[in-house]
Amino acid sequence: MRPGGDMGRLSDRTNRPKAKLKDVSVRRILLLFQGYWGQLLVIVGLALLAAVIGLIPPLVMKEIIDTAIPQGNMRLLAGMALLMLLLPVMSGVLGVWQNHLNTKVTQGVIRDLGQSLFQNLQRQSMAFFTDARSGEIVQRITGDVQAVQSVVTSLVVSSITQIVVVATTIGILFALDWKLAIISMIILPLFVLPVKKVSKVRKELRTQTQKVRSDIAAQLGESFGISGALLTRIFGRERQQEVEFKAMNQKVMDLELRLNLVGRWFGMATNTLGPLGTAIIYMYGGYSVISGNMTLGAIVAFAAYLGRLYMPVATLLNLQVELATALGVFQRIFEYQDMVPDVQDAPDARQLTQVAGAVAYKQVSFAYQPGQYALRDVTFEAQPGEMVALVGPSGAGKSTLIGMIARLYDPTSGDVEVDGVNVRDVQLASLRSTIAYVTQESFLFHATIGDNLRFAKPDATREEMEEACRQAYIHDFIASLPEGYDTMVGERGHRLSGGERQRIAIARAILKRPRILILDEATSHLDSESESYVQAALEELMQGRTTLVIAHRLSTVLAADHILVIEAGSVVERGTHSELLEQEGLYARLYHTQFAKVSEA
């Protein structure tokens, strides 16, 4: 649909369902792991086993210092040395296995999250896409999802590992010396003090960063799309685009630097507390050794265990900070995940089969905002095989009206029916399978001509494609290309002329074999020669089909069975071409104005 037209004004519509921003809780994030609990249990088992192995080296050191060396027991010393060599190997093997499972779970969750967003976006109506920027959509479904990858990894996997390490370490500390264990616990609350403040600051900074990244993605999509690149060069706005991009790029850099600096200060604070605890333990432990209440090996082992206590605690607290930092990103993701389509199948929707093509609009009204109607009480019918044309000034509501037959959006009040059945009562897929839509700017994917044709019918044979292209008067042109139907059409089909793109789009519509055809100013941007080809192709396409046509060029609708003249959202005139000329109303004025210009030309 064209920017600034009837559908472009959908950005003003506020009465369609909006995403409900739910509280982003740890519980909801944990629900992302629902299908992976079995693998998580294995990870927990591996973490527990690795934690047990990690407890052994300090005890080995204690045995060497307190027993093997004082007693001169070389056999015990060699056995302990060999054990110290084997333990890291065993721990390393477990680490590789655990890391593989960690990555598998993480990538699975990221894949599922991205797929969930994509599926929900596919269910949204055209109102959403005319309201949103494509660059921001891409950023949310790729950049935002990737931004939470480290949190997804850490939240369950790392937290499980660190909790197991902390729990086992605390247990053995109390087994070695309960007094020293209590002293080592006293310092732990100091780790917690900066967490709340740091978490809040980092969350705000991360939210701002992702917002600016979305703006950058949106600008890149607009600036480097074919139409945007062309417009930029025609108006010489390259420098302005560079300045705007530089400003946003610099803002991202500044936010990332602040984010990193806050994290580094927090890391420095927690790293300082570890040596403080160790110093206290050596002071008290050293005194105990001098007093004969503790062995040297015991204090060395205890100091080694402190590293296994303080580092995991710091990691867990840092995880809390990282989680708070990512909450803003999760909120953006869940916002898209929670969006409710304003057009969707009813719970009891049924298949629409054996369509004849009768179309009826019954007192249809449509409001972008409550009380601000773009269409009001429109009623008309099109019998199977008939052609109904909609004419009138730009912005009168024609595209909005004609799009309702395919439920691109639903009327605010009134009914649209196909073969006497309300379109809201049938499944969207079965309804749209009977409809083909050709617009003034026919979109082609950056793929081959054959791939673009098969978009309408994936299992189409070469013979079917060629027959459709013959009917669209484009086969000879395609056959003349070096690669024929395997020719790449370029971004949005811009390697082809407007008339060639339009005829390929018509061939695609023919291949679909619709019962109802919608033409939205399908020839308005073409030169006379291209228009003559396209018009001939359209006549082939319209044969035996119910056709709804929007046209500014009245020469294209002279043969319509019914013509509706729409002004300010209401049908002000209706009839055949000759009947409307006799009424000498708006249609007659439009017709005489157009043909007067043609005569002057």
Side-chain angles (χ1 to χ4, degrees):
M1 294 296 172
R2 61 196 184 286
D6 300 316
M7 290 185 66
R9 289 163 50 192
L10 280 169
S11 58
D12 298 326
R13 192 180 181 194
T14 58
N15 62 328
R16 70 183 179 87
K18 297 288 185 182
K20 296 179 181 178
L21 291 178
K22 300 179 180 178
D23 292 331
V24 183
S25 63
V26 174
R27 180 180 178 277
R28 178 161 186 186
I29 297 173
L30 287 173
L31 288 176
L32 299 175
F33 294 84
Q34 265 187 325
Y36 301 91
W37 296 122
Q39 295 175 62
L40 288 174
L41 285 175
V42 176
I43 291 173
V44 171
L46 292 174
L48 185 59
L49 187 57
V52 171
I53 292 175
L55 294 173
I56 299 175
L59 296 178
V60 172
M61 291 169 57
K62 180 179 181 298
E63 190 69 15
I64 290 174
I65 294 172
D66 289 346
T67 305
I69 294 177
Q71 295 179 4
N73 189 338
M74 289 301 300
R75 186 171 182 179
L76 179 61
L77 180 63
M80 293 295 102
L82 180 61
L83 189 57
M84 291 189 72
L85 181 64
L86 291 176
L87 288 173
V89 174
M90 295 171 61
S91 182
V93 171
L94 290 175
V96 170
W97 189 5
Q98 184 181 354
N99 182 263
H100 172 69
L101 287 178
N102 291 354
T103 304
K104 189 175 181 180
V105 170
T106 300
Q107 292 303 318
V109 171
I110 294 298
R111 177 202 61 199
D112 296 344
L113 191 56
Q115 188 68 28
S116 171
L117 290 181
F118 186 85
Q119 287 175 347
N120 200 37
L121 286 170
Q122 287 284 59
R123 295 168 57 229
Q124 302 305 311
S125 73
M126 287 305 299
F128 167 76
F129 293 102
T130 54
D131 199 7
R133 296 180 299 175
S134 59
E136 181 170 358
I137 294 174
V138 172
Q139 172 65 18
R140 292 211 194 190
I141 205 170
T142 55
D144 285 359
V145 170
Q146 289 301 316
V148 300
Q149 178 171 331
S150 60
V151 177
V152 170
T153 305
S154 305
L155 181 64
V156 173
V157 177
S158 293
S159 60
I160 289 172
T161 303
Q162 302 307 327
I163 288 171
V164 168
V165 170
V166 169
T168 53
T169 301
I170 289 175
I172 203 161
L173 284 177
F174 274 93
L176 283 173
D177 190 300
W178 65 272
K179 292 180 182 179
L180 271 181
I182 290 175
I183 292 173
S184 64
M185 298 294 112
I186 292 174
I187 201 171
L188 290 182
L190 297 177
F191 282 82
V192 182
L193 293 178
V195 170
K196 187 174 182 180
K197 179 63 177 177
V198 171
S199 299
K200 181 180 178 182
V201 173
R202 283 178 63 89
K203 177 185 176 183
E204 292 172 354
L205 289 174
R206 176 55 69 196
T207 302
Q208 293 178 41
T209 303
Q210 292 304 113
K211 175 64 174 65
V212 179
R213 287 189 185 280
S214 292
D215 292 339
I216 289 177
Q219 188 197 22
L220 291 175
E222 292 172 354
S223 299
F224 297 124
I226 292 293
S227 299
L230 178 63
L231 199 65
T232 299
R233 282 147 184 77
I234 288 174
F235 286 97
R237 309 302 288 181
E238 294 92 341
R239 180 58 184 162
Q240 179 188 342
Q241 298 275 33
E242 290 172 13
V243 170
E244 290 176 358
F245 181 78
K246 181 179 179 181
M248 288 189 289
N249 220 12
Q250 183 64 44
K251 190 171 183 179
V252 168
M253 177 180 171
D254 294 341
L255 287 169
E256 289 287 1
L257 286 173
R258 290 174 60 192
L259 194 65
N260 179 266
L261 192 60
V262 172
R264 289 299 177 189
W265 280 112
F266 175 70
M268 187 204 76
T270 54
N271 289 337
T272 303
L273 294 174
L276 174 62
T278 304
I280 294 172
I281 293 301
Y282 270 120
M283 283 291 296
Y284 181 82
Y287 171 76
S288 298
V289 171
I290 294 171
S291 302
N293 297 323
M294 195 174 191
T295 65
L296 180 61
I299 191 64
V300 170
F302 205 97
Y305 282 124
L306 281 184
R308 285 179 55 83
L309 175 64
Y310 291 149
M311 286 304 294
V313 168
T315 300
L316 286 171
L317 293 175
N318 189 63
L319 171 60
Q320 183 177 343
V321 172
E322 290 299 325
L323 177 59
T325 304
L327 289 183
V329 185
F330 272 114
Q331 189 175 46
R332 287 165 54 85
I333 291 172
F334 292 154
E335 181 183 3
Y336 267 27
Q337 201 172 48
D338 294 342
M339 282 192 305
V340 179
D342 55 351
V343 174
Q344 56 185 321
D345 284 337
D348 57 348
R350 58 187 178 85
Q351 288 275 350
L352 185 64
T353 57
Q354 300 297 319
V355 176
V359 173
Y361 282 69
K362 297 182 177 180
Q363 296 181 306
V364 168
S365 297
F366 181 84
Y368 294 108
Q369 297 180 17
Q372 297 182 8
Y373 282 88
L375 292 167
R376 191 183 295 275
D377 294 330
V378 176
T379 299
F380 71 90
E381 293 184 0
Q383 297 303 318
E386 285 188 341
M387 173 183 173
V388 174
L390 281 66
V391 301
S394 295
K398 301 184 297 297
S399 293
T400 303
L401 181 66
I402 208 169
M404 291 180 186
I405 190 65
R407 292 195 71 197
L408 299 182
Y409 30 86
D410 285 333
T412 305
S413 63
D415 297 315
V416 180
E417 297 180 351
V418 172
D419 290 352
V421 180
N422 193 316
V423 293
R424 290 179 173 178
D425 296 333
V426 299
Q427 294 177 4
L428 278 169
S430 67
L431 172 67
R432 291 173 179 171
S433 68
T434 68
I435 299 170
Y437 209 125
V438 181
T439 65
Q440 62 178 336
E441 295 179 359
S442 294
F443 181 87
L444 297 181
F445 292 97
H446 184 41
T448 67
I449 293 174
D451 289 337
N452 275 282
L453 291 170
R454 279 188 290 267
F455 198 75
K457 187 180 180 184
D459 59 348
T461 64
R462 177 57 66 91
E463 291 73 21
E464 289 175 320
M465 289 192 293
E466 290 180 358
E467 179 57 29
C469 289
R470 287 191 181 93
Q471 293 180 45
Y473 298 93
I474 193 66
H475 171 71
D476 291 342
F477 166 76
I478 296 173
S480 70
L481 297 172
E483 296 180 80
Y485 284 82
D486 295 324
T487 301
M488 296 292 294
V489 301
E491 179 76 14
R492 299 180 65 88
H494 276 271
R495 290 184 182 176
L496 307 175
S497 71
E500 291 159 357
R501 288 198 304 272
Q502 199 73 313
R503 279 179 280 162
I504 289 175
I506 292 169
R508 184 168 57 191
I510 292 173
L511 201 58
K512 190 176 182 181
R513 300 189 181 281
R515 290 302 310 144
I516 299 170
L517 177 64
I518 299 174
L519 304 176
D520 191 349
E521 300 185 25
T523 63
S524 62
H525 285 179
L526 302 178
D527 58 71
S528 298
E529 182 179 3
S530 295
E531 183 184 0
S532 64
Y533 277 112
V534 171
Q535 195 61 46
L538 288 173
E539 288 172 6
E540 289 279 353
L541 177 58
M542 289 187 290
Q543 290 296 321
R545 296 183 170 93
T546 306
T547 306
L548 304 181
V549 181
I550 293 176
H552 280 155
R553 294 185 182 180
L554 300 186
S555 59
T556 61
V557 298
L558 301 183
D561 297 288
H562 307 283
I563 299 175
L564 304 180
V565 183
I566 299 179
E567 186 177 29
S570 298
V571 178
V572 295
E573 299 173 17
R574 65 178 72 210
T576 63
H577 169 68
S578 58
E579 290 170 349
L580 290 173
L581 286 182
E582 290 176 4
Q583 293 179 25
E584 297 184 352
L586 176 58
Y587 180 85
R589 291 198 303 274
L590 292 172
Y591 178 80
H592 292 308
T593 299
Q594 283 192 16
F595 279 84
K597 291 180 180 178
V598 172
S599 298
E600 290 174 6

